Amino acid sequence: MEPLIRSVLAQRALAAYHLGPTSVCLLAYADDLLLIARDSGSLRALIHIVKQSPDWCGLRFNAKKCASLHLDFRGGRQGVRDTAFSIQGGDMRQLGEEASYKYLGSPWCQGRRPTG
């Protein structure tokens, strides 16, 4: 996982979401990854990096266990956008405004509307 994590972090300047002075593009724990990007194009670039890893290290991703949540905070269009992402030929589940998802055993966005 370490080479994969380093490959994603190398793109931090181009793809990361900025929280004040901190740039965030990846949260990782054991074999769980959470990719964070400032826009859908940047996220697609990070996913592309992650998709290449099976070619050189034998990782396999289970698309059924993956999910995406695309939040848009630009201008007056705040909300969840319907954007499809895939990994290794499988479509990720798209989370909507009322969806729930468990990440590392904890609820993530459980029935909450995004706020700016």
Side-chain angles (χ1 to χ4, degrees):
M1 291 296 287
E2 184 68 25
L4 171 63
I5 290 169
R6 288 181 186 269
S7 296
V8 171
L9 291 176
Q11 300 301 311
R12 183 176 19 211
L14 300 173
Y17 185 80
H18 299 284
L19 299 168
T22 304
S23 296
V24 180
C25 66
L26 173 73
L27 300 176
Y29 181 79
D31 66 346
D32 286 314
L33 299 175
L34 176 64
L35 299 174
I36 303 167
R38 63 175 156 231
D39 56 50
S40 60
S42 297
L43 184 57
R44 287 187 201 287
L46 294 179
I47 291 171
H48 180 72
I49 291 167
V50 170
K51 285 195 298 191
Q52 292 176 340
S53 63
D55 296 338
W56 48 268
C57 68
L59 286 176
R60 193 79 194 126
F61 296 98
N62 185 347
K64 292 178 183 177
K65 292 177 112 181
C66 298
S68 66
L69 178 63
H70 183 175
L71 301 176
D72 189 354
F73 296 114
R74 294 176 291 166
R77 302 183 331 199
Q78 295 182 11
V80 176
R81 294 188 62 196
D82 187 24
T83 307
F85 297 96
S86 65
I87 187 119
Q88 288 184 324
D91 293 331
M92 293 182 198
R93 179 177 156 208
Q94 295 177 39
L95 300 178
E97 290 187 19
E98 300 299 322
S100 64
Y101 186 78
K102 284 194 174 184
Y103 176 67
L104 298 176
S106 296
W108 186 265
C109 276
Q110 190 170 14
R112 291 185 217 127
R113 295 183 68 110
T115 58

